[in-house]
Amino acid sequence: MRNFVICLILALLSPRLLPAQNVNVLSSDRPYVRIAQTSGWLVDPTAMLTFQQVRQQAYGSLFQPVKHEMGAFGITSSAVWIHGRVSNNATNVTYLLIEFSNIDSLSLYYEHEGQLHTVQSGSMQYKPNTFHFHGFTFELPANDGLPVDFWLRARTGNALIVPLAVATAEGIPTALAGMYVVELIYLGVVLALFFYNLLLFIWIRDKAYLWYLGYLISLAGFNLLYLRGFHYSLSPSAALFFNQYGIGMAAISYMFTIGFSILFLQSKKYAPLQTRILRVIFWLLWVPVFCLAFGWREPAIRINELCSFCIPILFIWMAIRAIRRGYKPALYFIIAWSTLLVCILLFVTTNIGVLPYGHWSFHILPIGSAVEMVLLSLALGHRYALLKKETIDMQAAHLQYAITQKDLLEDKVNLRTQELAKMMQHLRESNTVKDKLLGIISHDLRTPLGTLSGLLELLEMKALTPQEIKEFAQMARQHIKHINSTMHNMLNWSLSQMNRIETRPVKVELAQLFQLITDTYRFSAGQKNIKLEASVPPGAVVYADDHQLELIVRNLLDNAIKFTPRGGTVSLGARDAGNKVELFVTDSGNGLTSEAVYKILYGNKLYSTDGTANEKGTGLGLWLCKEFVVNNGGELRINSIPGQGSTFYFQLPKEPPAVF
């Protein structure tokens, strides 16, 4: 009663009353509309107001529009009421969208045909979304094109952010594209960096890479699963867990980055005071983890916010001291953490209302952290180059010292010279492997990510129609598939170059293997209306390494689909060849010239061309096929006629090799 009296007095003393909320009209030409600035907003500090109270005229005059694209209120115990109006001239259903998943409690009220309807939702009471996106959807009646009033109450233990929109079923793809594009690009960057640095760790065994990989995964988990709400796509129990405890991943990521920074910057040598401070902070970061375990979410969030400012400043301070003492890789550190610190400041200041909060604020942390992670990866590369140079210089110095010693015997001098030559050759070969890896990453991974970025800019400029958005979704799926295939082949190729892959022949039933692979590629073939056939003699078996054989057949089948035009045919099969079985993949594609066949089979460089639907490739898959076929006792061969198609085939033994 007291709340009602206070609001009534405020309403009577107000110099002007807010007019009825603007009507947001949906139509076939306007299927998606953000409505934050055309709705009324009321903050209830007591969180005690009821729907019957806020719908009264005295409270209605207190609803005020927000100035920006969405309501942002920071961490608050208040409840927020929203009053809006929408009419739909296009379909029978209007969808009210809240494009953010970290809201504990949502209550929707509306009247239809004289009856009051109430719908409860929120992240603390898991309900799958109609369209499977990380937010909340409510259905409002179209009401024959007449305006429908709704009231929405929101309250949470996280930062309260309410991005509000309405859409028809045709407008949902626009909402989905706006929510997923940045995350897909961010995920692509994280995957590329993870596998690249994992390969380098396997190669050089530097513990700094392990700390970096832990930081990469925990920070990506915080951004995607907690901050961006992808946990809502998981099971109900997992979604509730990440909503309640996901902020803890920020503390864990800081633990990893503290360990990484101390090791990378050699801070014991260059910044001992800052190192001691960081070690204390490392153990203090367990405090928010324990707070979450006891259900104290707000203190955990506050501690993480404080660390988000203090830790980057300490890192920048350490890096400045290191670079002043001649440690050049620290420059990447300064740029990386300065960039992330600016993004954190922008995100926090928009959250508390100092700066205008818009959809750009949603993307600032993923973009900032992606830039920071790339710069840290470059810093690791620079550090490795310096360590390698120091090693070579040290070895050269040792050799020079040995040569200058008059009491050394001639044979000992020759032996040391030969050892150094072998070492230098090994380093050159290692550089060749690294350069090939970097070349593939810089071209074949950067190109699809750049394409996705360009399409995002078109989307932000609203230059795409709903049909083009659907086509963009298909194109994004193809690019992500290309990135995944490239990383898988790179991992196998790198391991083979380092002699870490062993061939273990076992009995392989071809019918079962072919069925598994054709089922995997049936969708890709269907996308191009390609007829996919498989034939194998009953009981056909070969003796080969099953993992390597699967990779061979997958790559050959993938290439066949890639270079076969729409409506063509691709055949996978096997036939008897005496004491061996011949496996083949035939397509009705463009075929290959004799020069191209020679480059594939006998060239010492990767060979690749674009597919019939402009699919990209690296040539690494065929390179692996050649190596793995030889490892299993066969030889890859090609029959091809330009314009009529190609057949890739090889033979494998039916029986295990004899042991003497």
Side-chain angles (χ1 to χ4, degrees), residues 530 556-557 559-565 568-572 584-592 639-640 644-648:
I530 292 174
L556 293 180
L557 192 60
N559 276 354
I561 295 172
K562 183 187 302 182
F563 294 103
T564 300
T569 301
V570 173
S571 300
L572 167 64
F584 61 90
V585 176
T586 301
D587 63 69
S588 60
N590 298 333
L592 296 166
N639 285 336
S640 184
Q644 297 184 24
S646 304
T647 297
F648 288 70

Side-chain angles (χ1 to χ4, degrees), residues 449-470:
L449 290 175
T451 302
L452 288 174
S453 178
L455 291 170
L456 174 60
E457 293 179 1
L458 292 175
L459 184 64
E460 290 178 341
M461 292 188 294
K462 299 181 179 179
L464 300 176
T465 65
Q467 179 61 33
E468 289 173 331
I469 292 173
K470 292 180 180 178

Side-chain angles (χ1 to χ4, degrees), residues 356-516:
Y357 200 109
H359 277 72
W360 66 270
S361 306
F362 260 19
H363 304 319
I364 191 69
L365 273 187
I367 292 174
S369 66
V371 172
E372 181 237 8
M373 288 186 293
V374 169
L375 288 171
L376 291 181
S377 182
L378 294 174
L380 278 170
H382 192 182
R383 175 177 180 268
Y384 170 67
L386 288 179
L387 291 176
K388 185 176 67 174
K389 183 178 182 300
E390 290 175 2
T391 301
I392 294 175
D393 291 344
M394 185 180 299
Q395 292 165 349
H398 287 168
L399 176 62
Q400 185 64 35
Y401 174 79
I403 293 175
T404 58
Q405 300 303 308
K406 296 181 179 180
D407 57 346
L408 289 178
L409 298 175
E410 186 67 26
D411 57 343
K412 193 173 183 178
V413 173
N414 293 335
L415 178 62
R416 292 295 297 272
T417 303
Q418 293 172 4
E419 290 176 351
L420 181 62
K422 290 179 180 179
M423 193 174 299
M424 296 294 290
Q425 178 63 26
H426 177 70
L427 288 173
R428 284 193 291 269
E429 291 174 354
S430 298
N431 279 335
T432 301
V433 173
K434 184 194 72 174
D435 291 341
K436 288 181 179 179
L437 279 172
L438 293 176
I440 291 171
I441 290 173
S442 64
H443 180 269
D444 294 279
L445 294 182
R446 185 175 62 186
T447 299
L449 290 175
T451 302
L452 288 174
S453 178
L455 291 170
L456 174 60
E457 293 179 1
L458 292 175
L459 184 64
E460 290 178 341
M461 292 188 294
K462 299 181 179 179
L464 300 176
T465 65
Q467 179 61 33
E468 289 173 331
I469 292 173
K470 292 180 180 178
E471 294 174 356
F472 159 73
Q474 295 177 354
M475 185 180 299
R477 187 187 304 111
Q478 292 177 356
H479 284 315
I480 295 299
K481 176 186 174 185
H482 169 68
I483 292 172
N484 181 63
S485 176
T486 301
M487 295 306 303
H488 182 70
N489 281 335
M490 283 176 58
L491 181 58
N492 281 281
W493 179 69
S494 299
L495 292 174
S496 70
Q497 294 298 303
M498 294 182 286
N499 297 319
R500 294 185 180 273
I501 292 183
E502 296 181 7
T503 302
R504 297 186 176 91
V506 296
K507 183 179 179 180
V508 181
E509 296 181 2
L510 295 181
Q512 183 178 354
L513 177 66
F514 284 12
Q515 182 66 43
L516 173 66

Side-chain angles (χ1 to χ4, degrees), residues 539-613:
V541 298
V542 295
Y543 272 82
D545 187 294
D546 52 345
H547 296 296
Q548 294 182 17
L549 180 56
E550 182 180 351
L551 183 142
I552 294 167
V553 178
R554 281 179 180 271
N555 272 292
L556 293 180
L557 192 60
D558 185 76
N559 276 354
I561 295 172
K562 183 187 302 182
F563 294 103
T564 300
R566 296 184 61 85
T569 301
V570 173
S571 300
L572 167 64
R575 50 185 168 242
D576 189 85
N579 62 347
K580 294 187 177 183
V581 176
E582 186 174 275
L583 289 76
F584 61 90
V585 176
T586 301
D587 63 69
S588 60
N590 298 333
L592 296 166
T593 64
S594 57
E595 181 182 1
V597 171
Y598 181 86
K599 288 181 179 179
I600 292 172
L601 294 180
Y602 307 110
N604 56 5
K605 296 182 179 179
L606 301 179
Y607 179 82
S608 175
T609 59
D610 291 348
T612 57

Side-chain angles (χ1 to χ4, degrees), residues 1-9 11 17-18 21 42 49-63 81 83 111 151:
M1 182 65 184
R2 187 178 68 176
N3 292 334
F4 175 74
V5 172
I6 292 173
C7 291
L8 180 61
I9 293 173
L17 296 179
L18 181 71
Q21 307 304 332
L42 172 64
L49 292 179
T50 65
F51 170 66
Q52 287 73 20
Q53 290 176 310
V54 299
R55 70 180 300 182
Q56 296 176 15
Q57 183 177 1
Y59 282 95
S61 62
L62 298 179
F63 279 82
W81 286 87
H83 176 209
E111 290 184 348
W151 287 262

